[in-house]
Amino acid sequence: MTAPAPTPAAPLVTLDSVGFRYGNVRALRDVSLDVRAGEVTCVLGDNGAGKSTLIKLVTGLLRPTEGTLCIDGEPVRLSGPRQALARGIAAVHQDLATVPLMPVWRNFFLGSELTRGPWPLRRLDIAAMKATADRELRGMGIELPDLEQPVGSLSGGQRQSVAIARAVHFGARVLVLDEPTAALGVKQSGVVLRYVAAARERGLGVVLITHNPHHAYLVGDHFAVLRLGAVELSAPRSEVTLEQLTHHMSGGAELAALKHELARTAGVDTDHLPDEG
């Protein structure tokens, strides 16, 4: 007798028919998405597709004007990023919220410094912060020769990796990465993607926002493509190929429709135009 398939764990975050309006402008409409522990959910889309608005909804900067946001199956109305972080949702933005001239260990604890001693003689516990930062970075596979070096002296990929390790240390269960490879070369993008995979292996739910289908397909478990605020494609890795993902990202469906529309227009020869996809 065949054993029943295991029941998948409940999503950490669920967007159920979520929409958002900026006045009369509908930035998102009817977006449904699950973020699960130990999975990388890739959200792709061109400029203006609604990716930034989606980030703001998940991290508490905005509240949906339509639909429901759930955390651990519970409908919530987040009042801001601090409340989202208290529920285990952390965002790593492109600017990384780091101070370039401060050392790595200080940036790791920026805003959450460890102290020791009674008030009013309380002081920074520098030794504890250095030891913790070193341990957490190594736990993510990040080995830096000198935690005293300014974080601005690190490569782009290393800075992204430090920000990821920091979010994991401070209790993130859901990690939202906003275009982490957008300004990086191939080698540094590979560094970041390795740490995205490491976060998944540690059981986090990762939301990777990107416009690069090749990067997404290297680490993604589920893919959602946004176009003009709506979900054009939502599929697990087993049901979509890199070619199909690239086709959707490049607007292949729209180009194909345009070709056929032009073909019906009298006097327009489109035989020389290749099929998209």
Side-chain angles (χ1 to χ4, degrees), residues 104-114 128-134 136 166 169-170:
V104 172
W105 66 266
R106 189 68 186 271
N107 272 278
F108 192 91
F109 281 95
L110 193 63
S112 302
E113 289 82 1
L114 301 180
M129 285 190 284
K130 288 182 178 179
T132 301
D134 185 58
E136 292 298 316
R166 180 176 64 186
H169 171 70
F170 284 104

Side-chain angles (χ1 to χ4, degrees), residues 29-106:
R29 63 182 187 278
D30 197 28
V31 173
S32 294
L33 192 67
D34 289 335
V35 180
R36 299 181 183 276
E39 289 187 3
V40 178
T41 301
C42 297
V43 179
L44 302 97
D46 208 344
N47 294 333
K51 303 191 302 297
S52 295
T53 301
L54 182 67
I55 293 172
K56 292 175 181 178
L57 292 176
V58 173
T59 58
L61 283 168
L62 296 174
R63 289 180 174 178
T65 53
E66 306 165 8
T68 306
L69 169 67
C70 296
I71 300 177
D72 296 321
E74 172 192 355
V76 297
R77 289 182 62 79
L78 298 174
S79 60
R82 189 174 295 274
Q83 187 180 9
L85 188 58
R87 299 295 298 263
I89 301 173
V92 176
H93 297 283
Q94 291 183 46
D95 58 15
L96 299 180
T98 57
V99 181
L101 295 180
M102 281 188 176
V104 172
W105 66 266
R106 189 68 186 271

Side-chain angles (χ1 to χ4, degrees), residues 159-189:
R159 290 197 299 272
Q160 288 279 355
S161 303
V162 169
I164 291 171
R166 180 176 64 186
V168 173
H169 171 70
F170 284 104
R173 298 184 301 137
V174 175
L175 193 59
V176 183
L177 304 176
D178 179 16
E179 299 273 9
T181 62
L184 303 180
V186 174
K187 183 177 180 180
Q188 293 303 319
S189 294

